[in-house]
Amino acid sequence: MPSASSPSGSATRQSRPRAALLCLRAAFFVGSALLPLAIAGCASGGASPMAALFSDALSEEKGLADRAAGIPYASLRLDAGDRQGLVVLAAQANGETYWPTGNQGLVTLRHEGLHTTVGLAQNLLDTAFPALPDTQAPWRQQDPTTFRLIRTWQDPAGLPRRMAATGRLACGEPEAHALPLATLTLEPCEMTLQWANGEATAGKLWRDPQSLRLWAGEEQAWPDGPTLEWEVARQWW
């Protein structure tokens, strides 16, 4: 999978998910037969066959494993509330992966963990772990304990909100976990975020005991915010 380098920093990371660029990149994964029409749809701003493909994939869970098995590209099963189903990798850079959801939506993972969203009912604008190097994440620690997290999101009025949290990861013994294309032995990690306003949110991450990469996750993005669930169908590493 080709990757592209870009400057570091939170502001730069937020500016990268641009709809036109991702539309063209995602069009590549539809296949050569639809590529000219997909590019035309990107250029005109209208719906393309690529968007229709993602819309169909997200509209129904039936046959998801068969569909994932038939797509030779990296893919995720995603549940973002109003959008559920299979999504295909559009691009990756500097630890981030970009997953278009159709209707100008996008979910970004960083080191396989939830990072940002675009085009959903409520969007996560940024996720940062200020005490960790940019190349690391709490679940990439062999013995994760407490960590600091800062998230920025849009409230229902569209205004940006920012809040810090103290997080804790507690990982259990490896156990079998069913994914769309395989059943793997993974460590279940319970994640608790205690926010600065006194509220708490919870999540669960499933990581490989050796590589410490995430294969699945589910978490409430912020207090009173949406819960997103994702799991790897075909990995990109």
Side-chain angles (χ1 to χ4, degrees):
M1 188 71 60
S3 61
S5 60
S6 58
S8 61
S10 172
T12 303
R13 289 198 298 270
Q14 289 185 49
S15 67
R16 281 202 298 257
R18 295 177 181 175
L21 176 61
L22 285 169
C23 186
L24 289 171
R25 286 180 173 175
F28 172 80
F29 297 98
V30 177
S32 58
L34 293 180
L35 184 57
L37 291 175
I39 292 175
C42 293
S44 68
S48 69
M50 176 204 67
L53 174 67
F54 286 131
S55 177
D56 289 344
L58 286 162
S59 64
E60 188 176 347
E61 292 270 0
K62 184 179 180 180
L64 185 143
D66 290 340
R67 187 175 297 163
I71 298 175
Y73 309 111
S75 55
L76 287 179
R77 185 190 71 81
L78 176 69
D79 186 340
D82 62 338
R83 304 178 193 199
Q84 298 139 14
L86 188 70
V87 292
V88 178
L89 178 65
Q92 60 177 325
N94 298 333
E96 294 178 16
T97 53
Y98 301 90
W99 306 88
T101 66
N103 299 321
Q104 299 184 342
L106 180 73
V107 173
T108 302
L109 303 183
R110 183 165 178 79
H111 304 309
E112 306 92 51
L114 181 61
H115 185 59
T116 63
T117 69
V118 175
L120 303 183
Q122 297 183 74
N123 283 304
L124 175 61
L125 303 178
D126 190 42
T127 301
F129 301 101
L132 293 175
D134 199 43
T135 56
Q136 294 187 25
W139 49 88
R140 292 286 184 91
Q141 314 301 306
Q142 190 65 51
D143 298 305
T145 53
T146 59
F147 58 91
R148 289 270 295 165
L149 174 147
I150 299 175
R151 273 187 169 155
T152 308
W153 65 88
Q154 283 181 320
D155 68 12
L159 299 175
R161 302 295 180 188
R162 186 172 183 267
M163 193 181 301
T166 298
R168 181 174 180 82
L169 270 178
C171 296
E173 291 298 315
E175 60 185 64
H177 183 75
L179 299 164
L181 294 179
T183 297
L184 301 180
T185 300
L186 303 174
E187 285 183 351
C189 298
E190 301 289 342
M191 181 172 66
T192 304
L193 298 177
Q194 190 68 45
W195 296 86
N197 67 351
E199 296 188 51
T201 59
K204 191 165 188 176
L205 307 175
W206 296 84
R207 69 176 190 175
D208 183 277
Q210 280 74 48
S211 69
L212 306 183
R213 285 183 176 272
L214 295 186
W215 280 83
E218 180 180 4
E219 65 166 301
Q220 186 178 13
W222 63 85
D224 300 320
T227 295
L228 283 86
E229 180 182 352
W230 67 100
E231 58 183 5
V232 175
R234 193 178 299 279
Q235 75 267 32
W236 55 95
W237 57 85

